Amino acid sequence: MLSRKHSPQWVLEGDIKACFDEISHAWLLQHVRMDRQMLRKWLKAGYWEKAQLFPTRQGTPQGGILSPLLANLALDGMQKAIGDAVSQKGDKVNFVRYADDFIVTGATPELLEQKVKPALTASSAREVWNSQSKRPSSPPSVPGSTFWGTPCASLG
């Protein structure tokens, strides 16, 4: 995605603080399309540790089978907000997510600061977590270096 001649040159990196610990049950129950009674029971089921049951008041169990799916469903809202904020194909905007981390690529740092960051801040997914966005950064342009696990050639 970043190593081609016409690829975006700038990356906004984000981390969803306490992703699985702080995901809102109310938001999930309102926005996730599935049997609400089943979802409510799953969210309140709690977890076992050292033969003791701990109730779940918020969040989803990290390592729970449904937790990554619920996180990705919430991230769909962020992706839609970004798509609504940028309109030109030349903006070269891509949204890549992995667990509680995400990146957004863009043609310029101004695009990421002036369109993408406000869209993330205003998105309905902001109600789900307290996401921490960082300043846009340019990927390394040194041939042979790596960026997000991808070997990079000169991007200049």
Side-chain angles (χ1 to χ4, degrees):
M1 173 171 61
L2 299 174
S3 63
R4 294 185 179 97
K5 183 178 179 180
H6 299 289
S7 294
Q9 298 294 304
W10 293 89
V11 174
L12 175 69
E13 178 185 4
D15 177 63
I16 300 169
K17 184 179 177 183
C19 174
F20 297 106
D21 296 335
E22 295 184 8
I23 194 165
S24 165
H25 288 188
W27 190 94
L28 290 169
L29 289 165
Q30 183 178 354
H31 292 93
V32 173
R33 291 185 208 161
M34 70 175 282
D35 182 301
R36 297 225 186 322
Q37 184 178 9
M38 178 70 73
L39 178 58
R40 185 176 294 107
K41 287 179 180 180
W42 188 85
L43 290 170
K44 299 296 182 189
Y47 65 95
W48 287 90
E49 187 175 322
K50 297 183 181 178
Q52 184 177 356
L53 177 63
F54 293 89
T56 308
R57 290 176 178 65
Q58 67 179 24
T60 63
Q62 190 159 355
I65 194 158
L66 198 55
S67 297
L69 172 66
L70 294 173
N72 269 317
L73 290 171
L75 285 170
D76 285 344
M78 292 174 76
Q79 185 168 354
K80 181 179 181 331
I82 292 167
D84 291 345
V86 296
S87 57
Q88 298 180 15
K89 191 171 186 143
D91 288 342
K92 300 179 184 177
V93 173
N94 298 289
F95 181 67
V96 181
R97 57 194 184 195
Y98 181 77
D100 63 345
D101 297 307
F102 64 90
I103 62 167
V104 184
T105 65
T108 67
E110 294 80 18
L111 169 74
L112 295 174
E113 286 284 350
Q114 296 169 10
K115 289 185 179 180
V116 173
K117 280 184 81 172
L120 289 173
T121 303
S123 78
S124 62
R126 186 85 169 149
E127 300 168 16
V128 183
W129 302 291
N130 177 23
S131 70
Q132 306 274 326
S133 296
K134 301 175 183 171
R135 290 188 50 78
S137 60
S138 178
S141 59
V142 179
S145 63
T146 61
F147 185 72
W148 285 79
T150 303
C152 294
S154 177
L155 299 176

